[in-house]
Amino acid sequence: MPSMRDILIGLAVAAAVILIYYQTSLLPLVALAGLLFLLYRFADLRTSRFSTTVGKPLHKKGKAVAFDQIGGQEMAKRELLEALDFLLKPEKVREMGIRPLKGVMLVGPPGTGKTMLARAAANYTRSVFVSASGSEFIEVYAGVGAQRVRQLFSRCRQKARQEGKKSAVLFIDEIDILGGKRGSHSSHLEYDQTLNQFLVEMDGLNSGDEVNILVIGATNRPEILDPALLRPGRFDRIVQVDLPDLEGRKKILELHLKNKPVDPAVNLEKIARETFGFSGAHLESLANEAAILAMRAGEDTIREKHVLEAIEKVIMGEKVERKPSEEELWRIAVHETGHALVSETIEPGSVSSITITSRGKALGYIRQQPPEDRYLYTRDCLDHKIAVLLGGSISEKLILGNQSTGSSSDFQQAVDIAKKIIAAGLSSLGVVSIKDLPKGLLHRTIQEIINQQAQWVSSLLSGQVDLIRDLAAYLMEKEKITGNLFREKVKGQQKGKSSQAVML
Ligand code: ADP
Ligand code: MG
Ligand code: ZN
């Protein structure tokens, strides 16, 4: 396809030939052409800053990443791999009449391997990799952002064609900058235009295209994304990329120490334990620092003391959030165990995992498997939810003798559910209008609902103090356990003293 430039050059040559033919003086025209050329270059420069960054990998230049170079993140890898079928089998997808998957959103803190995952996806699907960051789209000049979005998509197609590939992975880091809620920025018009253009481009992607493009976005703040981005047909899939747990940290350390001379006596398990809260990027820098320290000490191998010193260095230098104290961790473990035990008692098999690695604002959490989608809740069902929420703080009280601020969001949720019970006419008040209830009465009714559950949970857990201690200690050691392991442990403990089996 001839570009604007080719056409201009062609025209100029034709004009020159005609003018020479008619023996006109060319000098003023040459000067004019020179001037035009300069102007053209100038205009080009204004937009070219972008085209030079696009496509160049942000860190390691052009280095292909394979999935097995990414430590931990098993779940994220699995979910991403599933999504990649859409790139690998476009014919099949079309045949089946499946709406093509156009976007995957990787959500998680910095340095956890989101960029690596996107690169690995490109590598695995033999696609070209094009990357950009949300911040590159924001310009003061109206329309520039939208233009850059268009360039970016056409760059994917162009690059794939050049390299003879059928697909492209377009990675957009910090997509929240580009895709924040519309109308929420001060210079909103420019942002909105850019985001609109982005949505238009995504909607235009089709499984019948010559080059299939999969857009992979990365963000640490999914809550500020414009809902339009997450609508079906855009970023259909959200993949959590969390800080690595103990197992993950160990794998990442192994990966980054593989090519370094490490003293076999170094206990990686121990190092992984010491690096609670570290991201993959922190661990990479830890491995590097350890090697530097060993070299400085004039030694040939990296020894444990170097690694331990490097941990301090990374923490000080990079402001890793300090790990909670042992005491706090114990409290978190006791708290989460309480939630989990109540949940299992009410609905065996409902806990799918328990962890004490913080994530977002929560210090620890249990993941529950919803048995099925529910649209209607009975009073029992809502009571059960309240009971599970209370399990955390009641467990703290039983084991540690006091409670902590860590339960305030549990309580808030419990109160919200109690209000729902009242509003639905399921409380002792019968059918009422919440907003017309005297404040005191509302308050008392909420108390009544919650206290009833609190009593039940207290009597349940007070019979299981030893079990809670054992489970919490196990959780402390492992940081994260699956629901199955949890159930096995519970069973094992109960067999020991079968007379005290939980009957509820
Ligand atoms: P993000 O995009 O999530 O901020 P990156 O993918 O850019 O993180 O990771 C930065 C660096 O940290 C990588 O180049 C790699 O050295 C290291 N890293 C991060 N996560 C992992 C991981 N899961 N396995 C191995 N290395 C990792
Ligand atoms: Mg990154
Ligand atoms: Zn809790």
Side-chain angles (χ1 to χ4, degrees), residues 59-60 69-73 77 108-118 171 173 218 241 244 248 251-253 255-256 279-285:
H59 346 253
K60 290 168 203 156
Q69 286 168 274
I70 305 173
Q73 307 299 4
K77 277 194 236 175
T112 44
K114 296 184 292 300
T115 309
M116 288 184 97
L117 282 164
F171 177 62
D173 212 352
V241 190
K251 288 223 184 79
I252 297 174
L253 278 169
L255 284 169
H256 286 290
S279 68
H282 290 134
L283 293 167
E284 191 271 338
S285 123

Short mmCIF file of all heavy atoms in Angstrom, two decimals, residues 59-60 69-73 77 108-118 171 173 218 241 244 248 251-253 255-256 279-285, ligand 1:
data_model
loop_
_atom_site.label_atom_id
_atom_site.label_comp_id
_atom_site.label_asym_id
_atom_site.label_seq_id
_atom_site.Cartn_x
_atom_site.Cartn_y
_atom_site.Cartn_z
N HIS A 59 11.74 -4.36 29.24
CA HIS A 59 12.99 -4.70 29.94
C HIS A 59 13.95 -5.44 29.01
O HIS A 59 14.65 -4.83 28.23
CB HIS A 59 12.77 -5.52 31.20
CG HIS A 59 11.35 -5.54 31.68
ND1 HIS A 59 10.95 -4.84 32.78
CD2 HIS A 59 10.26 -6.16 31.19
CE1 HIS A 59 9.66 -5.04 32.95
NE2 HIS A 59 9.22 -5.83 32.02
N LYS A 60 13.90 -6.76 29.09
CA LYS A 60 14.87 -7.52 28.31
C LYS A 60 14.49 -7.49 26.85
O LYS A 60 13.44 -7.96 26.46
CB LYS A 60 14.93 -8.95 28.83
CG LYS A 60 15.54 -9.02 30.19
CD LYS A 60 15.31 -10.40 30.77
CE LYS A 60 15.39 -10.35 32.28
NZ LYS A 60 14.66 -11.44 32.91
N GLN A 69 9.60 -20.48 32.84
CA GLN A 69 10.53 -19.55 33.48
C GLN A 69 9.82 -18.68 34.52
O GLN A 69 10.43 -17.83 35.14
CB GLN A 69 11.16 -18.64 32.43
CG GLN A 69 12.20 -19.33 31.58
CD GLN A 69 12.55 -18.44 30.40
OE1 GLN A 69 11.89 -18.46 29.36
NE2 GLN A 69 13.58 -17.64 30.57
N ILE A 70 8.52 -18.87 34.61
CA ILE A 70 7.74 -18.10 35.57
C ILE A 70 7.45 -19.00 36.76
O ILE A 70 6.83 -20.05 36.61
CB ILE A 70 6.42 -17.61 34.94
CG1 ILE A 70 6.73 -16.82 33.67
CG2 ILE A 70 5.64 -16.76 35.94
CD1 ILE A 70 5.50 -16.42 32.88
N GLY A 71 7.91 -18.60 37.92
CA GLY A 71 7.75 -19.44 39.11
C GLY A 71 6.41 -19.18 39.78
O GLY A 71 5.91 -18.06 39.77
N GLY A 72 5.84 -20.22 40.38
CA GLY A 72 4.55 -20.06 41.06
C GLY A 72 3.47 -19.66 40.07
O GLY A 72 3.53 -20.03 38.90
N GLN A 73 2.48 -18.92 40.53
CA GLN A 73 1.42 -18.41 39.65
C GLN A 73 0.76 -19.52 38.85
O GLN A 73 0.37 -19.31 37.70
CB GLN A 73 1.96 -17.33 38.67
CG GLN A 73 2.70 -16.19 39.32
CD GLN A 73 1.86 -15.39 40.27
OE1 GLN A 73 0.71 -15.72 40.51
NE2 GLN A 73 2.41 -14.35 40.85
N LYS A 77 -1.33 -19.05 35.37
CA LYS A 77 -0.84 -19.68 34.15
C LYS A 77 -1.93 -20.55 33.53
O LYS A 77 -2.15 -20.52 32.33
CB LYS A 77 0.37 -20.57 34.47
CG LYS A 77 1.67 -19.81 34.54
CD LYS A 77 2.82 -20.80 34.51
CE LYS A 77 3.70 -20.61 35.73
NZ LYS A 77 4.76 -21.60 35.84
N GLY A 108 -2.94 -7.58 39.55
CA GLY A 108 -2.09 -7.91 40.69
C GLY A 108 -1.03 -6.86 40.93
O GLY A 108 -0.82 -5.98 40.09
N PRO A 109 -0.35 -6.93 42.07
CA PRO A 109 0.65 -5.93 42.43
C PRO A 109 1.85 -5.95 41.49
O PRO A 109 2.03 -6.92 40.75
CB PRO A 109 1.08 -6.34 43.85
CG PRO A 109 0.49 -7.66 44.12
CD PRO A 109 -0.55 -7.95 43.11
N PRO A 110 2.65 -4.89 41.51
CA PRO A 110 3.81 -4.80 40.61
C PRO A 110 4.82 -5.92 40.88
O PRO A 110 4.94 -6.38 42.01
CB PRO A 110 4.44 -3.45 40.94
CG PRO A 110 3.61 -2.80 41.96
CD PRO A 110 2.50 -3.71 42.36
N GLY A 111 5.50 -6.33 39.83
CA GLY A 111 6.60 -7.26 40.00
C GLY A 111 6.20 -8.70 40.22
O GLY A 111 7.01 -9.52 40.65
N THR A 112 4.96 -9.04 39.94
CA THR A 112 4.53 -10.42 40.17
C THR A 112 4.58 -11.27 38.90
O THR A 112 4.22 -12.43 38.93
CB THR A 112 3.10 -10.46 40.74
OG1 THR A 112 2.29 -9.54 40.01
CG2 THR A 112 3.09 -10.05 42.20
N GLY A 113 4.99 -10.66 37.80
CA GLY A 113 5.18 -11.46 36.60
C GLY A 113 4.11 -11.26 35.53
O GLY A 113 3.98 -12.09 34.63
N LYS A 114 3.39 -10.15 35.59
CA LYS A 114 2.33 -9.93 34.60
C LYS A 114 2.93 -9.75 33.21
O LYS A 114 2.46 -10.34 32.24
CB LYS A 114 1.47 -8.72 35.00
CG LYS A 114 0.73 -8.94 36.31
CD LYS A 114 -0.18 -7.78 36.65
CE LYS A 114 0.57 -6.51 37.00
NZ LYS A 114 1.46 -6.65 38.16
N THR A 115 3.99 -8.94 33.13
CA THR A 115 4.63 -8.73 31.83
C THR A 115 5.19 -10.05 31.31
O THR A 115 5.05 -10.38 30.13
CB THR A 115 5.75 -7.69 31.96
OG1 THR A 115 5.23 -6.55 32.62
CG2 THR A 115 6.29 -7.30 30.61
N MET A 116 5.80 -10.81 32.22
CA MET A 116 6.35 -12.11 31.81
C MET A 116 5.25 -13.01 31.25
O MET A 116 5.45 -13.69 30.24
CB MET A 116 6.97 -12.82 33.02
CG MET A 116 8.26 -12.25 33.51
SD MET A 116 8.91 -13.28 34.86
CE MET A 116 10.07 -14.30 33.97
N LEU A 117 4.11 -13.03 31.93
CA LEU A 117 3.01 -13.87 31.48
C LEU A 117 2.56 -13.49 30.08
O LEU A 117 2.30 -14.34 29.22
CB LEU A 117 1.83 -13.77 32.45
CG LEU A 117 1.95 -14.57 33.76
CD1 LEU A 117 0.93 -14.09 34.78
CD2 LEU A 117 1.79 -16.06 33.51
N ALA A 118 2.48 -12.18 29.83
CA ALA A 118 2.04 -11.72 28.51
C ALA A 118 3.05 -12.12 27.44
O ALA A 118 2.69 -12.58 26.35
CB ALA A 118 1.84 -10.20 28.53
N PHE A 171 0.16 -6.09 24.52
CA PHE A 171 0.21 -5.97 25.98
C PHE A 171 0.13 -4.50 26.39
O PHE A 171 0.91 -3.69 25.92
CB PHE A 171 1.50 -6.59 26.51
CG PHE A 171 1.66 -6.47 28.00
CD1 PHE A 171 0.76 -7.06 28.87
CD2 PHE A 171 2.72 -5.76 28.54
CE1 PHE A 171 0.91 -6.95 30.25
CE2 PHE A 171 2.89 -5.64 29.92
CZ PHE A 171 1.97 -6.24 30.77
N ASP A 173 0.36 -2.31 29.65
CA ASP A 173 0.66 -2.21 31.07
C ASP A 173 -0.06 -0.99 31.64
O ASP A 173 -0.36 -0.05 30.89
CB ASP A 173 2.17 -2.04 31.23
CG ASP A 173 2.67 -2.68 32.51
OD1 ASP A 173 1.83 -3.12 33.33
OD2 ASP A 173 3.89 -2.74 32.70
N ALA A 218 -2.74 -5.10 31.97
CA ALA A 218 -2.24 -5.35 33.33
C ALA A 218 -2.58 -4.16 34.21
O ALA A 218 -2.46 -3.01 33.78
CB ALA A 218 -0.73 -5.58 33.32
N VAL A 241 -3.08 -12.20 39.57
CA VAL A 241 -1.67 -12.52 39.68
C VAL A 241 -1.20 -11.97 41.02
O VAL A 241 -0.82 -10.81 41.13
CB VAL A 241 -0.86 -11.90 38.52
CG1 VAL A 241 0.56 -12.42 38.51
CG2 VAL A 241 -1.53 -12.19 37.19
N PRO A 244 3.53 -14.10 45.39
CA PRO A 244 3.73 -15.55 45.48
C PRO A 244 3.65 -16.04 46.93
O PRO A 244 4.07 -15.35 47.85
CB PRO A 244 5.14 -15.73 44.92
CG PRO A 244 5.81 -14.42 45.06
CD PRO A 244 4.74 -13.39 44.96
N GLY A 248 5.60 -20.75 45.86
CA GLY A 248 5.91 -19.92 44.70
C GLY A 248 7.25 -19.21 44.88
O GLY A 248 8.06 -19.15 43.95
N LYS A 251 10.13 -21.53 44.29
CA LYS A 251 10.35 -21.81 42.86
C LYS A 251 11.02 -20.64 42.17
O LYS A 251 11.93 -20.81 41.37
CB LYS A 251 9.00 -22.08 42.17
CG LYS A 251 8.39 -23.41 42.54
CD LYS A 251 7.83 -24.10 41.30
CE LYS A 251 7.13 -25.40 41.67
NZ LYS A 251 5.77 -25.18 42.21
N ILE A 252 10.56 -19.43 42.48
CA ILE A 252 11.13 -18.25 41.83
C ILE A 252 12.60 -18.10 42.21
O ILE A 252 13.45 -17.81 41.38
CB ILE A 252 10.33 -16.98 42.21
CG1 ILE A 252 8.90 -17.10 41.69
CG2 ILE A 252 10.99 -15.74 41.62
CD1 ILE A 252 7.97 -15.99 42.13
N LEU A 253 12.90 -18.34 43.49
CA LEU A 253 14.30 -18.28 43.93
C LEU A 253 15.14 -19.29 43.17
O LEU A 253 16.23 -18.98 42.68
CB LEU A 253 14.39 -18.57 45.43
CG LEU A 253 14.10 -17.40 46.36
CD1 LEU A 253 13.96 -17.88 47.80
CD2 LEU A 253 15.20 -16.34 46.24
N LEU A 255 14.64 -20.49 40.27
CA LEU A 255 14.79 -20.04 38.88
C LEU A 255 15.89 -18.98 38.77
O LEU A 255 16.71 -19.01 37.85
CB LEU A 255 13.47 -19.45 38.36
CG LEU A 255 12.40 -20.45 37.99
CD1 LEU A 255 11.07 -19.75 37.76
CD2 LEU A 255 12.82 -21.19 36.72
N HIS A 256 15.89 -18.06 39.71
CA HIS A 256 16.84 -16.96 39.57
C HIS A 256 18.23 -17.29 40.12
O HIS A 256 19.18 -16.54 39.88
CB HIS A 256 16.29 -15.69 40.22
CG HIS A 256 15.19 -15.06 39.42
ND1 HIS A 256 15.42 -14.46 38.21
CD2 HIS A 256 13.86 -14.99 39.62
CE1 HIS A 256 14.26 -14.03 37.71
NE2 HIS A 256 13.30 -14.34 38.55
N SER A 279 7.71 -9.87 46.10
CA SER A 279 7.18 -10.19 44.77
C SER A 279 8.27 -10.94 44.00
O SER A 279 9.42 -11.02 44.47
CB SER A 279 6.83 -8.92 44.03
OG SER A 279 8.02 -8.21 43.74
N GLY A 280 7.93 -11.42 42.83
CA GLY A 280 8.92 -12.07 41.98
C GLY A 280 10.07 -11.14 41.66
O GLY A 280 11.23 -11.54 41.65
N ALA A 281 9.75 -9.88 41.42
CA ALA A 281 10.79 -8.91 41.09
C ALA A 281 11.73 -8.71 42.28
O ALA A 281 12.95 -8.59 42.12
CB ALA A 281 10.17 -7.59 40.67
N HIS A 282 11.18 -8.69 43.50
CA HIS A 282 12.02 -8.58 44.69
C HIS A 282 12.96 -9.78 44.79
O HIS A 282 14.13 -9.63 45.14
CB HIS A 282 11.16 -8.52 45.96
CG HIS A 282 10.39 -7.25 46.11
ND1 HIS A 282 9.06 -7.24 46.46
CD2 HIS A 282 10.76 -5.97 45.97
CE1 HIS A 282 8.65 -5.98 46.52
NE2 HIS A 282 9.66 -5.19 46.22
N LEU A 283 12.43 -10.96 44.49
CA LEU A 283 13.23 -12.17 44.62
C LEU A 283 14.35 -12.19 43.58
O LEU A 283 15.46 -12.64 43.85
CB LEU A 283 12.34 -13.41 44.50
CG LEU A 283 11.35 -13.56 45.66
CD1 LEU A 283 10.30 -14.60 45.34
CD2 LEU A 283 12.08 -13.92 46.95
N GLU A 284 14.04 -11.67 42.40
CA GLU A 284 15.05 -11.59 41.36
C GLU A 284 16.17 -10.68 41.84
O GLU A 284 17.35 -10.98 41.71
CB GLU A 284 14.41 -11.06 40.07
CG GLU A 284 15.28 -11.17 38.83
CD GLU A 284 16.17 -9.96 38.62
OE1 GLU A 284 15.84 -8.88 39.16
OE2 GLU A 284 17.18 -10.10 37.94
N SER A 285 15.77 -9.55 42.43
CA SER A 285 16.79 -8.62 42.87
C SER A 285 17.54 -9.17 44.08
O SER A 285 18.74 -8.92 44.24
CB SER A 285 16.14 -7.25 43.06
OG SER A 285 16.31 -6.76 44.32
P1 ADP B 1 4.88 -7.10 36.53
O1 ADP B 1 4.63 -6.95 35.07
O2 ADP B 1 3.83 -7.91 37.23
O3 ADP B 1 5.15 -5.82 37.22
P2 ADP B 1 7.24 -8.35 35.55
O4 ADP B 1 6.71 -9.46 34.73
O5 ADP B 1 7.65 -7.13 34.85
O6 ADP B 1 6.19 -7.97 36.69
O7 ADP B 1 8.44 -8.92 36.43
C1 ADP B 1 9.61 -8.18 36.66
C2 ADP B 1 10.77 -9.11 36.90
O8 ADP B 1 10.58 -9.81 38.12
C3 ADP B 1 10.88 -10.19 35.85
O9 ADP B 1 11.70 -9.76 34.80
C4 ADP B 1 11.48 -11.36 36.62
O10 ADP B 1 12.88 -11.25 36.69
C5 ADP B 1 10.95 -11.17 38.00
N1 ADP B 1 9.74 -11.97 38.24
C6 ADP B 1 8.52 -11.50 38.58
N2 ADP B 1 7.64 -12.49 38.77
C7 ADP B 1 8.31 -13.64 38.55
C8 ADP B 1 7.94 -15.02 38.58
N3 ADP B 1 6.71 -15.41 38.90
N4 ADP B 1 8.89 -15.92 38.27
C9 ADP B 1 10.14 -15.56 37.98
N5 ADP B 1 10.54 -14.28 37.93
C10 ADP B 1 9.67 -13.32 38.21
#
